[in-house]
Amino acid sequence: MNLALLLSIFTLCFWASSERASRPKEVKVGAIFTLKTINGRVSKIAIEAAEKDVNSDKSVLGGTKLSILIHDSKFSGFLSIIGALRYMESDTVAIIGPQNAVMAPVLSQLANELHVPLLSFTALDPSLSPLQYPFFIQTAPNDQFQMSAIADMVSYFGWSEVIAVFTDDDQSRNGVTALGDKLAEKLCKITYKAVLPPDPKPTRSDVKEQLVKIRMMESRVIVLHTFSQSGRLVFEVAKELGMMETGYVWIASTWLSTVLDSLSPLPPRTAKSFQGALTLRPHTPDSERKSAFIARWKELSNGSIGLNPYGLYAYDTVWIIARAVRRLLDEGCTVSFSNITNLGSFPKATLNLGALSNFDGGNQLLNNILQTTMRGLTGPIGFNPDRSPLRPSFDIINVINNGYKQIGYWSNYSGLSIESPEILYRKAPNRSIANQHLDRAEWPGGTKTRPRGWVFRDNGRRLRIGVPNRVSYKNFVSRVNGTDIVHGYCIDVFRAALRLLPYPVPYRFILFGDGHKNPSYTELVNLITLDVFDAVVGDITIVTNRTKIVDFAQPYIESGLVVVTPVRKLNSIAWAFLRPFTPLMWAVTAVFFFFVGAVVWILEHRVNDEFRGPPKQQIITILWFSLSTMFFAHSKSSILAIDIEFFPKVQYTNNFMSSKFSGENTMSTLGRMVMIIWLFVVLIITSSYTANLTSILTVKQLSSPITGIDTLITSNEPIGFQVGSFAENYLKEEFNIPQSRLIALGSPQEYVQALENGTVAAVIDERPYIELFLSEHCMFAIRGQEFTKSGWGFAFLKDSPLANDISTAILALSENGDLQRIHEKWLSKKACASSSSDIQSDQLPLESFWGLFVICGTVCLVAVIIYFCKMIRQFSQNSPQVIDPSGRGSSRSERVMHFFAFIDEKEDDSRKRLKRKRSDINQNSNSIEDESRYFRTNRAEMKISKERHYGGTWLQ
């Protein structure tokens, strides 16, 4: 027992000693920074503190010492490469850096070849793809997230255009490119990019040259993406140029927050130059470890510099490497290096490339780093599948007089919020506009009112507003004789809208046109794109082609093309009673009157004495019966309703009542069915006729062969249009009307002359013009409906923010009634304008009633078919029993004649004849049983026939 225990102890001691022997005594890590920068100084202190903490905790590396060598690149890319090569000659397992993304691609290529992971928390260029640089890892949120936060801020405050000022290096340039993409997602854009020399080379004159250009532009929202030294210089020059006053908006990237955190308290001059600016700071949640480290910082830095979030990222980056190395050693891997085999025939002695070596465990260490999960000073640490850090977020800082204040947060999880991301992570993500909130900010100039973000170009130059110099319809836009003053409906609407804007708008009207004819409105709008005008005010129609090159404000009046023709009054004539229906309608109605009369005669001929007699009398009966239904339709329909409600058990009430209004009544079921449908049709027709005839005789009627755009196009008649109107191109492009049919007319007087002498069959123009025209010329009228729908609006340069503000003002004018009052002032109509309303054809066509005729015709045909089927069945049942005693069968023609004779006979006579023939047959056959059976069979039918015959007089 004791021997077994001793063997176990010996085995454990041997394994531990062998493990200690396999672990290296020291693991080297390099760091490359510019130590004269804020982040370089802070990172050096934080990295050294992390190195000390790792080595003091024996449980981290198990006795292996972590040795971190820091190289000062002194703002030089060349020195950065030299430092990296030196580390890779000395068996370094990982490198922290570079500080700037300019050298990141070059150093990443070295890292890829030598399998040495490269970790950076300051080289945050979003274009450094892990696919291209697999050994390069960003341990802090890259600039893509920072630019997303800035774009959300721009959209939240309602700005649409920004100016980007940045340093001419890869990181700043690619960051601004990412900003442009994010702004585009918010329907915003960068209007100008001001480029500064790479940090720290910009001079005061370089900065001033760019800021003077920016000061002359419209946009007042400036995003500054650079480094601390260049950024401070930009703000100082901007303060001198008056660009930190009311109206300006400055949004700085994270460099400004590092200055505020690490260099506070700032010199008064520098602090004043930052006042009102917004900036971002990488968000790090509060924790006990973070508070303890902040408490240690003054001792670690000796009070030389303040701690900023990148110092926390530097500390955590060291711990990420330490934990990855420990896992590498725990997995039994050795820290070994091998010679580079692909150097080829390079002279190693000259460049000493032979000293470079591959890190054999580089791939494993890289995987361990990416799989690291821990909680550090910056919060939960880990990497997403795309290698971005977990849950990137930023604090939003507002610089004020005595320092700064935090006005909210931004997180990739839920956007802008006044709640910390840690609280939002416990809720469902919600990035809706209504859920985006920030506290109130203090802007440059000390104002708390949100700047509108733009001013008029050239800082006070008056807007050049083009106005059409019209020679007709001067109520809309016109020039006061002998002056450059313009007035009219459109001008008053524009001035009223300007008065509602919360800021003054300097402007001047510039007339366009020679004053002899109306100018081309398409050319006028195109001059905006040529920078001749800043805007165009007038009766400008909003059409598709124009919206492609300019922006329009909200339409202030509805418009649309209409057809105007000369019309003549329809005087009352002797045949006015025929006007309610078209000739075809009259013809079809007459045919149906006789058709229904014939159908009813067929159905009633055998059972109704009133439909029997000589041929002449029967024809008269058919005509009288058909026409009488037109005059007694209302009475018959009313009596029928009374019959159904009050006499449900009386069979022949309808016959009796009908006979009171006409000489004939119906007795058969099929006849009554046809009459019910026909009376309904006649009721509808007579009601429509009465209503239309009343309208014709009481309302003044107008007549024109042109009833709308369709008849005008198919007529091949010439068409007039207003000079300068878009109607010409519209008719040619949309309706393929040849130019030869289109005649330009320059004034209302030319309209009158052309329409009266037949030069044009109609004039096509926009409704506002035509309504004004018809108020003075009552012999013309609008025919048909508007065949386009549009409006008039004021045109502005593409993406001009003034267009949105004018739109809001026009809506306010519409709501408060001012727009209507301006309309009544300039465009009030005279009395005859109301009589020139849209005129339509007053005759009712067959298309309005064809459904009724189809139903009626179908019912008649079905009734006739049923009737003949019934007659054929009765004839076939009775005819075979009538046999000639001689035994000779009838021929086919005789049978047909017998059938028509059977139909023509009255039903009672037919039954008596059949009875006599059957009696003769029974006498010849001496069959009493056959005669008895015959009478039993026909007794019920004869009883019904008698009731039908005498029923009409039962109520009498």
Side-chain angles (χ1 to χ4, degrees):
M1 190 66 162
N2 292 334
L3 180 60
L5 180 61
L6 291 174
L7 289 175
S8 299
I9 295 173
F10 176 77
T11 302
L12 291 174
C13 292
F14 178 77
W15 178 81
S17 62
S18 62
E19 183 181 3
R20 285 194 298 270
S22 63
R23 285 179 177 268
K25 294 182 180 180
E26 182 182 43
V27 173
K28 297 180 181 179
V29 175
I32 302 174
F33 291 95
T34 297
L35 299 182
K36 288 186 178 181
T37 62
I38 295 176
N39 284 339
R41 293 164 60 189
V42 171
S43 298
K44 179 178 182 297
I45 297 172
I47 288 172
E48 290 174 348
E51 177 188 12
K52 181 179 179 181
D53 291 344
V54 169
N55 289 328
S56 62
D57 188 351
K58 300 300 181 181
S59 64
V60 179
L61 294 178
T64 298
K65 180 183 178 182
L66 178 66
S67 177
I68 300 178
L69 305 176
I70 299 178
H71 173 74
D72 186 3
S73 62
K74 299 179 180 179
F75 296 100
S76 171
F78 174 74
L79 292 180
S80 297
I81 296 175
I82 295 301
L85 291 174
R86 191 184 73 176
Y87 290 143
M88 293 176 183
E89 289 177 353
S90 58
D91 297 340
T92 300
V93 299
I95 298 175
I96 301 174
Q99 182 176 340
N100 192 297
V102 174
M103 296 310 301
V106 178
L107 300 183
S108 295
Q109 294 290 354
L110 293 174
N112 292 347
E113 293 295 329
L114 302 179
H115 299 168
V116 177
L118 194 65
L119 292 82
S120 179
F121 48 86
T122 53
L124 303 176
D125 185 350
S127 68
L128 296 174
S129 168
L131 297 177
Q132 186 177 4
Y133 308 111
F135 277 82
F136 180 74
I137 305 171
Q138 294 170 327
T139 58
N142 66 35
D143 285 347
Q144 181 176 2
F145 299 105
Q146 184 178 190
M147 297 307 156
S148 294
I150 293 176
D152 283 351
M153 291 166 61
V154 170
S155 176
Y156 171 78
F157 288 113
W159 304 313
S160 59
E161 297 179 351
V162 303
I163 294 174
V165 181
F166 60 96
T167 301
D168 191 15
D169 59 41
D170 289 345
Q171 179 164 339
S172 299
R173 191 182 307 110
N174 292 331
V176 170
T177 300
L179 174 62
D181 295 339
K182 295 299 180 180
L183 286 173
E185 295 176 2
K186 304 292 182 180
L187 302 180
C188 306
K189 67 176 184 177
I190 299 175
T191 57
Y192 181 74
K193 297 179 180 179
V195 183
L196 302 175
D199 197 65
K201 294 180 180 180
T203 62
R204 184 173 293 271
S205 61
D206 295 331
V207 174
K208 187 174 183 179
E209 178 183 358
Q210 292 296 334
L211 293 185
V212 168
K213 294 180 181 178
I214 293 173
R215 190 175 60 176
M216 305 300 290
M217 298 177 183
E218 287 185 351
S219 179
R220 285 293 183 263
V221 182
I222 304 170
V223 177
L224 181 57
H225 185 45
T226 181
F227 301 96
S228 59
Q229 187 167 335
S230 298
R232 282 178 286 178
L233 180 60
V234 169
F235 274 109
E236 289 177 5
V237 176
K239 181 70 174 177
E240 295 174 359
L241 295 176
M243 298 177 66
M244 296 302 298
E245 302 299 328
T246 302
Y248 283 90
V249 177
W250 287 85
I251 302 176
S253 54
T254 53
W255 68 266
L256 180 54
S257 65
T258 63
V259 172
L260 298 174
D261 289 334
S262 298
L263 301 183
S264 294
L266 296 171
R269 180 181 178 183
T270 304
K272 288 183 179 179
S273 66
F274 294 153
Q275 183 181 353
L278 301 179
T279 185
L280 300 174
R281 173 202 286 153
H283 175 71
T284 55
D286 294 332
S287 64
E288 293 182 0
R289 290 190 60 196
K290 176 183 174 181
S291 300
F293 187 78
I294 292 174
R296 290 175 55 195
W297 183 258
K298 187 173 183 179
E299 178 184 350
L300 294 172
S301 64
N302 295 320
S304 61
I305 194 169
L307 176 64
N308 64 54
Y310 292 105
L312 303 179
Y313 280 108
Y315 184 92
D316 284 346
T317 299
V318 174
W319 276 92
I320 291 173
I321 295 174
R323 290 180 180 273
V325 170
R326 182 183 70 178
R327 185 175 177 184
L328 180 71
L329 298 177
D330 291 344
E331 292 171 349
C333 297
T334 59
V335 179
S336 60
F337 297 84
S338 58
N339 294 329
I340 302 175
T341 59
N342 56 356
L343 288 178
S345 58
F346 281 102
K348 299 179 182 180
T350 303
L351 297 176
N352 197 25
L353 297 178
L356 300 177
S357 57
N358 286 321
F359 176 29
D360 296 332
N363 287 317
Q364 186 60 40
L365 180 62
L366 175 65
N367 292 332
N368 291 345
I369 291 172
L370 296 176
Q371 295 174 9
T372 298
T373 55
M374 54 178 280
R375 190 168 189 87
L377 301 182
T378 58
I381 296 175
F383 297 93
N384 293 312
D386 61 353
R387 295 194 180 187
S388 63
L390 296 175
R391 295 177 174 177
S393 56
F394 294 90
D395 301 334
I396 300 177
I397 306 298
N398 180 208
V399 183
I400 55 177
N401 280 329
N402 54 354
Y404 61 86
K405 66 176 181 179
Q406 185 169 331
I407 62 172
Y409 304 88
W410 179 91
S411 67
N412 195 44
Y413 183 77
S414 58
L416 301 174
S417 175
I418 56 177
E419 294 182 311
S420 67
E422 289 71 39
I423 296 177
L424 298 176
Y425 293 148
R426 297 194 291 267
K427 303 177 182 179
N430 186 356
R431 300 201 62 166
S432 63
I433 296 176
N435 200 50
Q436 306 296 293
H437 301 287
L438 290 176
D439 286 334
R440 194 173 185 182
E442 184 175 318
W443 306 98
T447 180
K448 293 186 178 181
T449 302
R450 178 188 65 83
R452 70 174 185 266
W454 64 276
V455 294
F456 296 104
R457 194 181 302 179
D458 293 346
N459 195 21
R461 178 178 65 81
R462 292 190 298 172
L463 287 180
R464 302 161 298 174
I465 299 179
V467 176
N469 189 10
R470 295 193 59 88
V471 297
S472 62
Y473 296 114
K474 293 187 176 182
N475 299 59
F476 296 102
V477 180
S478 64
R479 174 183 184 178
V480 178
N481 292 333
T483 68
D484 290 333
I485 300 174
V486 292
H487 65 173
Y489 169 71
C490 304
I491 301 301
D492 280 6
V493 171
F494 179 71
R495 285 173 172 159
L498 290 183
R499 287 194 292 269
L500 295 180
L501 298 182
Y503 50 86
V505 179
Y507 66 91
R508 61 190 178 99
F509 291 126
I510 303 175
L511 290 167
F512 175 75
D514 57 11
H516 301 294
K517 63 178 182 179
N518 294 333
S520 170
Y521 281 51
T522 301
E523 293 180 7
L524 177 59
V525 172
N526 284 335
L527 291 178
I528 297 178
T529 63
L530 300 177
D531 199 29
V532 176
F533 298 127
D534 298 311
V536 170
V537 170
D539 45 340
I540 312 298
T541 306
I542 303 174
V543 295
T544 304
N545 290 337
R546 295 172 184 173
T547 59
K548 295 178 181 178
I549 58 176
V550 297
D551 280 349
F552 282 93
Q554 173 76 19
Y556 58 89
I557 188 174
E558 292 184 356
S559 181
L561 293 178
V562 294
V563 177
V564 176
T565 65
V567 294
R568 60 182 177 84
K569 295 182 180 179
L570 292 178
N571 298 321
S572 297
I573 59 175
W575 302 98
F577 66 90
L578 295 177
R579 287 179 185 171
F581 292 154
T582 60
L584 180 60
M585 178 63 185
W586 278 117
V588 173
T589 303
V591 169
F592 260 82
F593 269 110
F594 295 115
F595 172 69
V596 173
V599 170
V600 173
W601 179 84
I602 293 173
L603 300 177
E604 295 290 321
H605 180 65
R606 297 190 75 239
V607 297
N608 197 333
D609 290 336
E610 295 177 356
F611 288 86
R612 302 188 62 81
K616 181 179 179 180
Q617 180 181 348
Q618 294 187 45
I619 293 175
I620 295 175
T621 299
I622 293 174
L623 295 177
W624 166 248
F625 181 83
S626 300
L627 297 176
S628 65
T629 57
M630 179 173 61
F631 302 104
F632 302 116
H634 292 78
S635 302
K636 289 191 175 186
S637 60
S638 302
I639 294 301
L640 182 60
I642 296 173
D643 176 26
I644 294 174
E645 181 175 359
F646 295 101
F647 302 98
K649 296 183 180 181
V650 181
Q651 293 182 336
Y652 305 110
T653 302
N654 188 47
N655 293 338
F656 165 72
M657 295 298 179
S658 297
S659 64
K660 297 299 181 181
F661 299 100
S662 66
E664 291 74 27
N665 52 45
T666 55
M667 298 179 62
S668 67
T669 303
L670 292 176
R672 292 174 180 178
M673 179 181 70
V674 170
M675 283 303 300
I676 289 173
I677 302 300
W678 177 240
L679 288 175
F680 176 75
V681 173
V682 172
L683 177 64
I684 298 299
I685 293 175
T686 54
S687 299
S688 302
Y689 174 86
T690 303
N692 204 19
L693 182 61
T694 302
S695 174
I696 290 173
L697 296 178
T698 57
V699 180
K700 181 174 66 176
Q701 298 295 309
L702 303 175
S703 175
S704 172
I706 304 299
T707 60
I709 184 63
D710 295 331
T711 56
L712 178 61
I713 293 173
T714 57
S715 67
N716 293 323
E717 296 288 340
I719 303 171
F721 67 92
Q722 184 181 173
V723 173
S725 172
F726 79 98
E728 179 183 9
N729 290 332
Y730 183 85
L731 294 174
K732 290 190 296 186
E733 294 174 2
E734 298 296 329
F735 297 108
N736 297 320
I737 296 177
Q739 182 66 46
S740 59
R741 288 185 59 190
L742 301 177
I743 298 177
L745 303 174
S747 66
Q749 291 71 27
E750 293 185 17
Y751 285 14
V752 174
Q753 294 175 3
L755 290 171
E756 287 183 343
N757 60 27
T759 304
V760 297
V763 171
I764 290 180
D765 208 346
E766 296 181 73
R767 179 175 283 275
Y769 300 126
I770 296 302
E771 289 179 346
L772 196 61
F773 172 75
L774 295 180
S775 67
E776 300 177 356
H777 302 87
C778 302
M779 70 289 297
F780 307 101
I782 296 174
R783 302 294 284 175
Q785 301 295 327
E786 287 181 352
F787 56 92
T788 65
K789 289 291 185 181
S790 60
W792 290 355
F794 306 132
F796 297 89
L797 191 66
K798 202 73 175 173
D799 298 323
S800 172
L802 185 58
N804 294 331
D805 292 346
I806 290 292
S807 296
T808 303
I810 289 174
L811 290 175
L813 290 175
S814 178
E815 292 173 357
N816 62 25
D818 288 346
L819 197 61
Q820 181 61 30
R821 283 188 284 271
I822 297 173
H823 186 278
E824 293 173 355
K825 172 185 175 182
W826 289 98
L827 307 178
S828 59
K829 302 175 184 178
K830 297 181 181 178
C832 73
S834 60
S835 65
S836 301
S837 57
D838 294 357
I839 304 299
Q840 298 292 339
S841 177
D842 50 31
Q843 289 187 313
L844 297 176
L846 175 63
E847 289 76 9
S848 302
F849 303 95
W850 71 269
L852 290 173
F853 287 124
V854 169
I855 294 173
C856 182
T858 303
V859 171
C860 290
L861 292 176
V862 170
V864 170
I865 292 172
I866 293 174
Y867 174 77
F868 276 102
C869 290
K870 180 181 177 182
M871 291 298 99
I872 292 173
R873 181 177 63 84
Q874 291 181 0
F875 180 75
S876 62
Q877 288 178 350
N878 295 282
S879 179
Q881 298 180 18
V882 184
I883 302 174
D884 190 350
S886 63
R888 292 176 298 174
S890 301
S891 65
R892 179 175 299 179
S893 59
E894 291 177 343
R895 188 174 180 84
V896 172
M897 294 300 294
H898 289 163
F899 176 72
F900 282 111
F902 175 77
I903 294 177
D904 184 59
E905 288 181 348
K906 195 172 186 301
E907 186 173 5
D908 292 340
D909 295 340
S910 176
R911 293 180 183 276
K912 292 178 180 179
R913 180 178 57 82
L914 289 175
K915 181 179 179 181
R916 286 196 302 270
K917 288 190 175 184
R918 289 185 180 276
S919 177
D920 294 339
I921 293 171
N922 291 334
Q923 289 177 3
N924 293 333
S925 61
N926 295 319
S927 177
I928 299 176
E929 292 181 2
D930 290 343
E931 182 177 359
S932 176
R933 186 165 50 251
Y934 172 81
F935 279 103
R936 284 197 303 271
T937 303
N938 290 279
R939 185 177 302 159
E941 296 180 4
M942 294 176 66
K943 181 179 181 180
I944 293 173
S945 177
K946 290 179 180 179
E947 290 176 353
R948 288 179 179 175
H949 179 68
Y950 296 107
T953 59
W954 180 77
L955 290 177
Q956 299 178 355

